Every structure is written in C-alpha cells, then in structure tokens.
Amino acid sequence: MEVKETYNGTIREVTLGVGDKAVVVGGETALSFYTFEGVMPRKPVIAFDVYDEEPADWPAPVVEPYKDVLGDPVKWALKCQNEYGADMICLQLVSTNPTGTNRGAEEAAQTVKAVADAIDIPMIVYGTANVEKDTEVLAKAAEAAQGKNVLMGPIEEDNYKTIAAAALGFQQAGATHSPIDVNMAKQLNILATQLGLNADRIIIDPTTGALGYGLEYVYSVMERLRLAALTQNDSMTQMPIINTIGKEVWKAKEVKVSTEEEPAWGDAETRGIIWEAMTAIALLMAGSDILVMRHPKAVELTRDFMALMA
Amino acid sequence: MSKIIASAAIRGAHKIAKRAEESLNNAIQQKGEAQEVGFPDTAYFMPIALALLGVKVKTLGDFVPVLEKAKSMLPPEPAEHVWLPYLGNTLDAGIATILFEEIIEAVKYITGPNPVDGIWLGATDDVILRMQGIKLVDGSMPGFAACVGAMPTNAEAVKLANELRERNILVFMFGETNGKSMAEQLAEEGVQMGWDSYLVPYGKDITAASYALGFAARSAMTFGGIAPGGLKEAHDILLYNKNRVFAFVLALGEVDDEKYATAAGAINYGFPVIADTDIPQILPTGICSYEHVVSNVTHDKMVETAIEVRGVKIKITKINVPVPYGPAFEGERIRKEQMFVEFGGQKSTAFEYLRMRDLDDVENGKIELIGPDIDKMPEGSAQPLGIVIDVAGRKMQQDFEPVLERQVHHMINGAEGAWHMGQRDMNWLRISKSAKDKGFNVKHFGEILLAKLIDDFPAIVDKVQVTLYTDEKAMADLMEEARQAFIHRDERVAGLTDESVDTFYSCTLCQSFAPNHVCIISPQRLGLCGAYNWLDAKAAFEINPAGANQPITKGDTIDERLGQWTGVNEVVVQKSNQSVQNISAYSIMIDPETSCGCFECIVAILPVANGVMIVNREHSGMTPTGMKFSTLAGSVGGGAQTPGFLGVGRQYITSEKFISAEGGFKRIVWMPKELKDSLESQLKKRGESIGIPDFFDKIADETVGTTEDEVLAFMQKVGHPALEMESILEFSV
C-alpha cells in the first residue's frame, strides 16, 4: 500500500533580481523532492560566494578556481557568472568586519554598486553578522543596490528594525537569521512583517552547520520549519530557506588540512569538494532553496544530484 | 470639538483656498496648463495629492481637478447658532488645506519665489526621505516635531531645538509668528541647520507645512508598502502615520486661522498639537492616539508634554554610569574585603519599591537623592537605603509592579562594582571600593534603573523617576507604604484563582531544546521552571506580543476536576506540533502536563505508599522511587507525557490546585529535607488550611528513609492521611 502525506500549506515564492535573469525561489507544496506527494515547481538555486577583499583563510583547493580574480570582487563575480554558471552571486562584505579590515559602510556600498552593475544575475549581500556594523553597512548597501532587488542579510533580532526598514525603503528582500531555533526564526519573521516587510520579501537563514559541525542539528530545525509550514499551514514559517554552506564547510578542520599533513585522509581537493557537496545535498533534502557555495566542482556535483532527483 | 477651533480652522481653509486658486490661475495664465510641475528628485509627484486622492500631478493642468476636489471638501463656516457639527467638517477642512498648500508650494517652484532660498530647504528628495525614513522605522529617530511659528526669544528657540535634538527627534520648521520663524531665530544664533543636524527649515510660509505632511505621506507609501489609489488607501496612509510615525505639532506663538486649518490637516494624520498659547483644548481621543490639542503649555514642559501626548518612545543608548555596564558583570560577587559600603542584608534598613503612578505625577528622568551620598559614608559601613521607583505608562498596570520590581536585581548587577541580592525589604546591595574610586555613587543606582526600565520595557513604561533615600528618618513613611503594598500584592496573588480568570498563558520559551513542549501557566500553576507565574506571563505578552508567552482563552470546560478546557487543549495540540492532544492542569495520572527539562522539582507517584514524593533539582541523593533526580529527569523531560510523573515549580506544591484531581496536597509523603525546610512556612500554612495542622511533620524525608517501605512504615507510625485515601492507581483509568 502506498502511504502519502497530505499537506495544506505552500512555501511562498520570492523573486530576487530583475530582468531576464531574475530568479524565483520557493513554491513547494510538499517536502523538497517529495514530488510524489506534491509540487516542487523549480529546483533550488546556487549562489557563489564572492568576498569584497582577498580572503585570508581559504584553503588552497578553493583558492585555485579563483586565483586570478581574488581581491577584485567585480571580476570575481563575473567569473562565477560567466564561467561557472552561477545562478546568483553572494557578495560577502567581510572587509567591513570591525575585528578585520574594518572598512566603512560607504566604501562597502561602492563595492556593492560596482558588482551589482557588472553582473546581470541576482545578488545576495551579506554582512559579517556583527549586529552594529551590519546595521550601518547594510543600510548603505540597500541604497547602493537600489533597483536591483537584492537579498540582504543577515537580519538579526537585534538589528532587524534598521535592516528591514532599509530593505523596505529601497525595495530589497531580507534574510532573517536566527540561531538554529524554530520559534526564534518564526518570531523574527513576525517582527519583520510587523515592521512592514512583506512575508514574500523574506528568506529564512536558519544558521548553517557543515557536515560534522552541527549539520544534523540544522537539518532537524529546517525539517521542523518545513513541517510547520506545510502541515500546519503556519504562515510565518512558509518562507524559502537559504544556507550559507561554503563559509561553513571550508573552515572545517577535515577540509582545511592538506594532503601532506594527513595523507590517510586522501586528496585535500577531492575531500573538500565532497565535503561541500555532501553538506549541500543534505540541506537540499531538508528544504534549502538557496545554497551559497564555493567550489565549482562541488556545485557541479550538487547540480547532478538535483537532476537525478527531479 | 471646540467651536472656536472649528470656526477658525474652516475660516483658515477658505483663506488658503483663495490663495491656492489665485496662484494656480496666475501660473496657468503665465505658463499654460501643459507646464510641467514637480518637486525635485521624487517618484511621488505631488505626494499629498497622490496619497489622499490617488492623483498623479504632472502638469499645472493636472492641479485643476485637485483644486476642485479640495474646494468641494470645504465646509461652510459654522453659523452662530449651530453648536455640534464640527469634527468631521473641521477634519475635511484640514485635508483641503494641505492640498491647497501643496499647490501653492508647487507653483512657487515655477513662478517663484523659489522655495529653496537661504536657510530654507523646500521639498525633500526621495534619497533623503528613505535614509530618514529608515531611522523612523527602526526607532533610532523616534519621531518628528513640526514647529510652527517662533519662540519669544532666540535663546528659547535654541533651547527647544536642542531639547528635541537630544532625543533624536527631527525638527521641521515652517510658518511665522509676528514676522519671525523659529528657523530664523536659530540662524541668527549661528546654529547649523540641515538634515544631518536634525533641523529642517522648510519655509517661512505656513504652506511649507505641506512638505512635512508630504514627507509623512511618502514615508507611508515607501515603508508601509501602500500603493495610493482610492479612499481606502488614503485612509491606510493616514492610519500608518497615526500608528507608526510619531510626529506632533508644536504651535509656537499666536495661532491664526491658517495655522488652525493646517493643524486640522495634521490631526488627520494622528499628529496632535501642543500649543504654548491659551487656545481651546481638544482632549478626548479619537483620531489621534491620545489628546488632539493640548494648550497653554509652558515652554520648558513642551517637549515632555508632546512626547507624552503622542506616545513617543525614546531609546536611551548609553547608561550614564562611570563603570562598565553589561550582562557580563551580572555574575560578579563583591566580597567584604572589596566592599566600600553595603545596604540592607539585615545589617541596615533597606528596601526597594516600584509603584505605578499617574503620568502627571512622574517627572521622567528625575533622580533624587535624599540623605548623604557615598563620599559621606565611612568605608566598610552598612548604611540605610530606600529605592523608590515611580513608573507611569499608558499601558502600565498595577499587576506589572512586581514584575518590573524584580528586574531591579539584574539591572543593578549589570554594573561592574555594584552587587544586588534579594528583593522588597529583604534586599542587600554593595558598592565596591574600585567602583567608588571610579566615581560610582548612590545616585547611579537611579541612572541604571531609569535607563533600563525605559529601554527594556518600552511597551509598558513611558516615564520613570527614581528617589533614593539614605536618610533613615526620611524614608520611614515610604517604607511603611511599601510594606503595605507588598501585603496587598501577596493578597492579590493569593486571591487569583484559575476560576477567576478566563485567560491562561502558554510558554514556549524552551522549545529550542524541547520542541514539542508547551507550559500552560495559570494563576494557580506557575511555569515548571518557577520563573514565570501568570502575572509574569501576562506582562511578558504585553511587552512582547510576538514572544513566547501567548494568551489562551480557556474555552469550555471539559473536566473541571482534571482541569481540562477546550481552548487549552487546542493550543496544546497546535504548539506541541500535534504530539500532545489533551492536558490536565490538575492531574498527575490522566493527561499530565509535559516538561521541557527545566523543572525545579519532580513529582512521582509511590504506589505502595499511595501518595507522591517530590524531589528538587538540588537534591543529589536517592529517592524512594529508586531513582535519583537525574535519572527521573530523563524520563520526565523532553516534552513527553508520562503519567505518574510531573515536572513542577516549587510554588505549585502549596497551590490549592496541586494534583487536586488525585486528592492534592495530602498525597505528599516524601521530600528531601532541604526542600521541606525551604518551604516550611508555606507547607505548614497549607496543612492548616486543609485541617491537618501537623501535616508538615507527616512528610517523610531522607533522614526517615529512601525506600518506599521505610516511607510506608513512617506513614503508618504518624498516621499519614494518604493511607486512608482511595488508591492513587485507580485514577489511571
């Protein structure tokens, strides 16, 4: 006997970017890839990480594909778009980190504008999760990217008012970030919508953990968000989900250690790529709609998987 | 509404109508109907016409229907003998007025004089609107003040501007009094003006009010996501302003007809008018959140009054103390050697008391010290201290007094070098030597309480004033008042029964680790962690309506004995993610409440003894169930419904509703000695109330034994009432 679950909720569709290359995410009426129980109208999209300054801590295998463009976010973004077939660019404003380069909001906004003007695929703009600095930086970034319909984040409980207001004022979308907690994710969405940000302008960032670093925890929280959205028709959990995978995977010890240091662990490049793809695939199953990734080969593997499942 | 105001406003509207018509006709004659018209760099055309009428004015000709529409809204001036029909008419006159004013200002851009001239800025472009709007939405700029006219002297104008700026309130200036405007007064005094300095001189003409009201209309369209169109949208735009844009009008100097008419326009947005002259007041609420027109306010009270009348919330960003402040210092202890001075702790008289007062009786921000300060106190001494906190708020309730008062503990502990323990008249505070060296004094307790109460509880606290007494004689009366209040509060809590209310509260604070657990908090059963009673939950909901405590309407009674209600069960199903269907508030055997894992105590049945035992978290020894607390906790927590086991808060033990379905309090046969001692007086009182005054002594503890047989033998020896009760296992079916 075939047992099917019936759902009564739908994930909202959110449009990001403008023009021909705009993407729509969400729209599922069943758990991801449960196409025998409902509709998954489109595949999740993959955004490529682009840093606004030369990254200091990326392991060699993931530096390799970008070695000619690191330090030039415009060229970097174009390379992801033109050579690696990125669906989106995720511009990480790491240079604004107060404990790092501590670049000012104005300067960061110039980078945002330069990248946004150069590419034609949609853009995500992420701060450094420093609550105070992000407030300043993302408000400026929202202005700089006016008319581009970008996704801005992370919006936290402590700064949602300003960032959500900036998103509202400059017609951008927002990624609400909560620390692996269904109720807090929901509460932040309630707060942001009460402020005036429409529910179909919100993406949930539930916090991402890499394989071996809390992946199962994230998985279960995402699954619970999805079940609440689909089976309980809980409006404040019915937003698409974003996972910042690259950032988490490529700092894991098992990924950073070189082949020479641990020959028994196998080739470092293959190891890193598989680690990133495995994390991505697990989170796809849990309900991810936007995967932010790094290694082009890991992206390829993830896309192969999606093709198999669809 | 006052007839004087109505007549004046309607008269003013007619005058401005005439001006608008003349200037528009004149401009059309000169430039033709096709002449383009618009404010610089905006996508909102003529924002007031767009927001209120849904009309996109692009040419002078487009203004004609706007003018006609506004004229049609103009009511006739009330006749001598008519006394009633004012409010609606006056509001219409106000709307018409601001439409006329916008026409007048827009025409100035074509035929002159140019509104941008010298200090005057004229219309606001969209970029500024957005950047300023963000501050309005996120609360960093609480609102704007539209200052109409001028102050009597330049110095007073500067003072008013600074008072507003200090509170991050944006100052819009337009209109004049006897040929002078506030902006000119500031300019004469050399005050820098502009958007960056929060001082915006719009124009000397009263019609420049349309820039401020156009700004407000655009912020609703931008941040409220309201696309203008018809009447409903116009209504939504005005409502958005009422609810979210905390603006008010300060009418400075004589109020002429045109100013009345413009003020009537502002009232449509929910922006009240505060006047320094003796004009008639409009106090009842209706369009505005609170009063509409408050007059004859002295200049030094104007800002305070406006903030109160408009319900503006101001954030205090920095606590004014000479030591670091933050949660990191909460755990800090101050030992005797490090201590400079202490208060209370049974070494001296001390108390802390938070009381609700009327808005008029509290001067926000006032901190007063009565008695000597720290520099007059000998090192190492114990001194008297009375802390009296007066709180006023439109949404404050007397029930919230204890909830807020309990915050004193962690608020004061947040300061490095200050330490607090206890509550009420059993408190104990210390100031360290190093804090004293850095300049910390007694008044700083007030600074902390003031800033934190306003900042952490903006939903219920509007005004705070703190009085600190270090003079024992001076505080005697208040201490007595406080004691009476404490007695009154205890009576109130004791009198609160589950039957006396129709709303309980849910608590899902712990769902991060127990995803299917929900606590049901009723007056007679507090949260199992012991931290949230019914009043706390009620206040928490008021403070954060989207938070973890949500009201539950009890609904129909399913079973009174078990404590089951339809409303409660519905919420349990929903919030437990369908994993729990029914909850009994008063039973341990049938549909008992679930636990997250934070319970202060675990109640477990002892079938042989025909009763229950209670073990507290701190007790590490064996219990008569054959399990220690830690083992028991494993089977009780995690949101599972386990008949025979219950996680509870300490205060529930002596509640009349303690497992009342199974016979209640009389079922208690064993507790660790420590728990028993800590609850001694309450347990004895409860024993008396059920007619067994020596019940306390019939409860066994670990000194009697830690097996069921030992407990049973003891029960038989003392004649424990549970032995006579029907079998507790009977209830499981």
Side-chain angles (χ1 to χ4, degrees):
Chain A
M1 196 185 78
E2 198 177 4
V3 182
K4 282 189 186 175
E5 194 75 43
T6 51
Y7 304 97
N8 55 18
T10 306
I11 304 303
R12 283 192 188 80
E13 294 186 331
V14 177
T15 306
L16 299 168
V18 287
D20 296 348
K21 297 280 177 65
V23 301
V24 179
V25 293
E28 300 92 329
T29 65
L31 292 178
S32 289
F33 303 103
Y34 279 39
T35 44
F36 47 92
E37 285 182 347
V39 180
M40 190 178 187
R42 55 188 67 85
K43 285 178 204 157
V45 296
I46 298 181
F48 277 63
D49 261 334
V50 171
Y51 275 22
D52 71 336
E53 66 177 355
E54 188 159 348
D57 56 349
W58 285 26
V62 77
V63 164
E64 183 60 26
Y66 305 105
K67 59 174 190 269
D68 52 334
V69 292
L70 296 176
D72 185 337
V74 171
K75 281 192 190 147
W76 187 347
L78 284 171
K79 183 165 187 147
C80 296
Q81 170 184 288
N82 301 334
E83 284 179 39
Y84 298 135
D87 298 315
M88 299 180 78
I89 294 298
C90 180
L91 180 63
Q92 308 259 9
L93 300 175
V94 284
S95 75
T96 62
N97 195 335
T99 60
T101 311
N102 199 15
R103 204 173 274 169
E106 288 287 353
E107 212 180 323
Q110 284 167 17
T111 312
V112 170
K113 187 161 178 9
V115 174
D117 287 342
I119 59 175
D120 53 10
I121 52 177
M123 184 159 85
I124 301 166
V125 179
Y126 250 57
T128 56
N130 178 302
V131 169
E132 279 147 33
K133 189 66 184 280
D134 276 0
T135 310
E136 207 185 311
V137 169
L138 292 176
K140 282 281 169 211
E143 186 192 352
Q146 209 176 337
K148 301 286 183 184
N149 189 20
V150 304
L151 174 65
M152 305 196 313
I155 297 179
E156 316 259 356
E157 193 176 342
D158 289 332
N159 62 14
Y160 80 94
K161 285 186 177 166
T162 310
I163 300 175
L168 258 175
F170 296 102
Q171 281 120 40
Q172 319 288 14
T176 52
H177 173 245
S178 47
I180 321 192
D181 185 308
V182 176
N183 286 311
M184 287 168 87
K186 208 177 137 175
Q187 186 181 330
L188 188 51
N189 288 341
I190 294 173
L191 293 171
T193 48
Q194 280 177 350
L195 196 83
L197 194 61
N198 266 338
D200 62 6
R201 304 299 293 145
I202 297 175
I203 305 282
I204 296 174
D205 177 346
T207 299
T208 302
L211 174 63
Y213 291 83
L215 176 66
E216 63 284 12
Y217 200 5
V218 181
Y219 189 103
S220 97
V221 162
M222 284 169 63
E223 194 178 37
R224 278 168 54 208
L225 277 166
R226 269 303 142 95
L227 287 172
L230 297 170
T231 62
Q232 294 173 45
N233 201 13
D234 182 341
S235 170
M236 284 298 118
T237 56
Q238 288 170 334
M239 291 80 174
I241 295 175
I242 183 172
N243 290 104
T244 49
I245 292 164
K247 198 159 51 175
E248 298 303 319
V249 166
W250 293 95
K251 71 179 182 199
K253 180 187 166 204
E254 291 79 354
V255 172
K256 287 184 102 161
V257 168
S258 67
T259 320
E260 292 72 40
E261 283 171 86
E262 284 288 351
W265 290 4
D267 175 54
E269 185 185 12
T270 316
R271 197 186 330 128
I273 291 167
I274 291 177
W275 210 275
E276 186 173 17
M278 283 309 297
T279 305
I281 288 166
L283 295 175
L284 276 177
M285 297 309 295
S288 193
D289 296 283
I290 305 174
L291 308 167
V292 183
M293 299 181 65
R294 269 185 202 167
H295 203 291
K297 286 189 180 149
V299 171
E300 251 174 68
L301 284 174
T302 309
R303 288 211 169 112
D304 288 349
F305 172 80
M306 282 195 261
L308 279 175
M309 292 297 287
Chain B
M1 169 169 279
S2 151
K3 179 173 175 177
I4 299 171
I5 291 188
S7 307
I10 293 170
R11 259 197 322 269
H14 281 278
K15 288 183 194 170
I16 291 183
K18 197 156 164 277
R19 270 188 67 189
E21 190 159 19
E22 280 169 13
S23 70
L24 181 61
N25 287 341
N26 185 22
I28 290 175
Q29 262 175 16
Q30 279 183 42
K31 308 272 179 183
E33 286 209 351
Q35 167 68 42
E36 280 185 21
V37 57
F39 293 131
D41 301 315
T42 176
Y44 294 98
F45 307 96
M46 292 293 125
I48 297 179
L50 178 67
L52 300 182
L53 305 176
V55 178
K56 293 176 179 168
V57 175
K58 294 173 199 149
T59 64
L60 283 176
D62 293 341
F63 261 142
V64 176
V66 173
L67 185 87
E68 291 308 317
K69 177 74 191 166
K71 274 166 73 182
S72 75
M73 292 166 80
L74 274 182
E77 208 183 310
E80 277 294 308
H81 57 279
V82 182
W83 291 100
L84 276 173
Y86 308 136
L87 183 61
N89 280 349
T90 310
L91 292 173
D92 285 352
I95 290 289
T97 301
I98 59 177
L99 286 165
F100 294 134
E101 290 180 342
E102 190 172 66
I103 295 175
I104 296 170
E105 289 296 320
V107 168
K108 282 184 191 171
Y109 271 90
I110 296 168
T111 61
N114 190 344
V116 185
D117 178 27
I119 58 169
W120 305 112
L121 297 177
T124 305
D125 68 37
D126 281 358
V127 172
I128 293 178
L129 165 83
R130 292 209 168 88
M131 291 320 279
Q132 300 296 330
I134 290 171
K135 293 192 233 165
L136 273 179
V137 177
D138 76 10
S140 55
M141 183 167 77
F144 70 77
C147 299
V148 188
M151 291 291 272
T153 64
N154 287 5
E156 282 169 292
V158 173
K159 187 162 169 281
L160 177 66
N162 286 340
E163 273 181 53
L164 290 163
R165 286 200 292 176
E166 273 163 19
R167 294 167 170 85
N168 286 346
I169 294 173
L170 194 58
V171 185
F172 291 160
M173 290 167 286
F174 49 83
E176 45 148 312
T177 306
N178 300 325
K180 211 29 162 234
S181 97
M182 178 167 155
E184 288 170 333
Q185 292 179 311
L186 297 182
E188 282 169 20
E189 294 303 307
V191 177
Q192 277 278 332
M193 288 186 282
W195 286 94
D196 290 336
S197 49
Y198 282 74
L199 299 173
V200 182
Y202 267 132
K204 191 166 178 175
D205 197 340
I206 182 70
T207 52
S210 58
Y211 297 129
L213 295 169
F215 176 91
R218 283 152 71 197
S219 68
M221 291 185 273
T222 307
F223 293 96
I226 308 165
L231 260 185
K232 187 196 169 290
E233 288 78 14
H235 176 256
D236 288 349
I237 287 167
L238 294 175
L239 211 58
Y240 180 91
N241 274 284
K242 174 188 170 177
N243 293 334
R244 305 210 182 210
V245 180
F246 290 98
F248 48 86
V249 179
L250 296 182
L252 311 173
E254 187 218 345
V255 182
D256 59 22
D257 291 350
E258 287 89 337
K259 286 183 189 163
Y260 274 119
T262 308
I267 288 173
N268 277 288
Y269 282 69
F271 301 162
V273 181
I274 316 299
D276 58 357
T277 51
D278 190 12
I279 61 172
Q281 307 211 92
I282 303 177
L283 297 182
T285 58
I287 312 297
C288 299
S289 303
Y290 305 116
E291 296 82 4
H292 293 81
V293 179
V294 179
S295 66
N296 216 5
V297 180
T298 56
H299 289 126
D300 58 324
K301 286 267 160 65
M302 254 186 141
V303 177
E304 270 309 303
T305 308
I307 285 170
E308 193 184 300
V309 169
R310 185 61 184 103
V312 180
K313 304 287 178 185
I314 290 168
K315 276 184 95 68
I316 298 174
T317 43
K318 194 183 170 303
I319 298 170
N320 187 19
V321 289
V323 293
Y325 188 92
F329 305 106
E330 269 181 50
E332 174 203 27
R333 303 275 305 185
I334 298 173
R335 292 174 215 292
K336 211 164 171 54
E337 322 64 84
Q338 304 161 315
M339 174 197 94
F340 180 80
V341 63
E342 65 186 327
F343 311 93
Q346 289 167 333
K347 297 184 174 76
S348 63
T349 316
F351 71 99
E352 60 203 38
Y353 173 39
L354 183 143
R355 58 184 178 173
M356 183 177 101
R357 315 292 318 258
D358 285 339
L359 280 163
D360 292 341
D361 298 336
V362 178
E363 189 182 321
N364 193 27
K366 185 175 164 189
I367 301 166
E368 201 181 354
L369 172 66
I370 296 171
D373 207 338
I374 193 163
D375 51 352
K376 301 269 162 33
M377 296 173 182
E379 186 172 324
S381 64
Q383 300 288 330
L385 179 67
I387 303 175
V388 178
I389 308 160
D390 291 326
V391 170
R394 303 260 186 185
K395 287 196 161 170
M396 180 68 190
Q397 299 179 18
Q398 204 145 24
D399 275 350
F400 299 158
E401 285 180 354
V403 177
L404 293 178
E405 192 180 281
R406 240 179 308 146
Q407 302 299 321
V408 170
H409 175 68
H410 90 247
M411 288 177 176
I412 287 183
N413 273 331
E416 189 186 33
W419 175 84
H420 179 278
M421 228 179 98
Q423 17 55 51
R424 293 187 170 180
D425 53 354
M426 292 168 294
N427 60 349
W428 187 8
L429 296 92
R430 280 179 169 176
I431 298 174
S432 75
K433 287 178 193 161
S434 71
K436 193 241 170 200
D437 290 342
K438 285 178 190 153
F440 193 91
N441 59 36
V442 177
K443 256 188 153 175
H444 287 124
F445 287 137
E447 294 279 359
I448 295 169
L449 296 170
L450 185 83
K452 293 297 284 176
L453 281 166
I454 294 212
D455 216 34
D456 292 356
F457 303 97
I460 52 178
V461 174
D462 294 340
K463 291 168 118 184
V464 181
Q465 136 189 338
V466 184
T467 317
L468 299 142
Y469 296 87
T470 49
D471 177 342
E472 199 159 352
K473 279 196 208 93
M475 70 195 218
D477 286 352
L478 271 156
M479 182 139 175
E480 187 47 36
E481 183 191 319
R483 284 188 171 141
Q484 291 303 319
F486 299 150
I487 292 168
H488 175 76
R489 282 180 199 167
D490 288 344
E491 283 169 353
R492 158 93 174 124
V493 173
L496 267 178
T497 61
D498 289 0
E499 291 78 16
S500 68
V501 300
D502 47 22
T503 304
F504 292 171
Y505 290 87
S506 61
C507 183
T508 50
L509 215 53
C510 296
Q511 285 203 346
S512 55
F513 58 88
N516 295 333
H517 168 70
V518 50
C519 262
I520 303 297
I521 302 176
S522 70
Q524 288 175 290
R525 182 167 180 176
L526 78 170
L528 52 79
C529 59
Y532 277 75
N533 66 29
W534 186 79
L535 287 178
D536 296 316
K538 185 178 171 198
F541 172 67
E542 201 68 53
I543 291 160
N544 180 6
N549 298 110
Q550 294 293 321
I552 305 172
T553 307
K554 270 196 289 184
D556 296 332
T557 305
I558 299 169
D559 190 314
E560 203 174 329
R561 186 180 64 90
L562 293 175
Q564 288 208 11
W565 300 268
T566 52
V568 174
N569 281 342
E570 278 162 28
V571 169
V572 166
V573 171
Q574 183 213 341
K575 293 201 190 281
S576 71
N577 306 312
Q578 274 109 13
S579 67
V580 180
Q581 300 301 315
N582 304 305
I583 279 292
S584 302
Y586 313 139
S587 173
I588 189 172
M589 298 304 287
I590 300 167
D591 302 334
E593 285 198 13
T594 60
S595 296
C596 42
C598 308
F599 31 71
E600 287 187 296
C601 304
I602 294 172
V603 185
I605 59 159
L606 294 175
V608 176
N610 201 31
V612 300
M613 56 138 259
I614 306 172
V615 57
N616 55 317
R617 183 172 289 272
E618 295 77 14
H619 185 72
S620 56
M622 186 46 76
T623 77
T625 55
M627 291 182 273
K628 293 179 179 177
F629 179 89
S630 50
T631 317
L632 278 167
S635 54
V636 180
Q641 211 164 22
T642 322
F645 298 89
L646 210 54
V648 300
R650 282 174 183 236
Q651 299 304 318
Y652 177 55
I653 297 170
T654 49
S655 160
E656 277 176 39
K657 292 295 197 295
F658 175 76
I659 58 167
S660 55
E662 283 87 19
F665 189 68
K666 283 187 291 188
R667 288 281 186 191
I668 302 174
V669 302
W670 189 91
M671 279 184 187
K673 195 167 182 318
E674 184 203 341
L675 177 65
K676 212 176 137 183
D677 288 347
S678 78
L679 293 173
E680 184 176 344
S681 65
Q682 288 158 276
L683 290 169
K684 284 185 167 163
K685 218 169 128 190
R686 181 86 182 102
E688 276 161 29
S689 75
I690 57 166
I692 315 174
D694 60 345
F695 185 75
F696 181 81
D697 303 317
K698 295 181 195 286
I699 303 172
D701 57 34
E702 70 272 25
T703 61
V704 171
T706 52
T707 65
E708 253 194 287
D709 290 339
E710 286 167 325
V711 173
L712 183 62
F714 174 80
M715 288 167 69
Q716 280 158 346
K717 196 177 87 190
V718 297
H720 194 288
L723 294 172
E724 309 295 318
M725 297 167 80
E726 61 183 309
S727 166
I728 194 161
L729 296 174
E730 288 295 308
F731 291 97
S732 59
V733 283

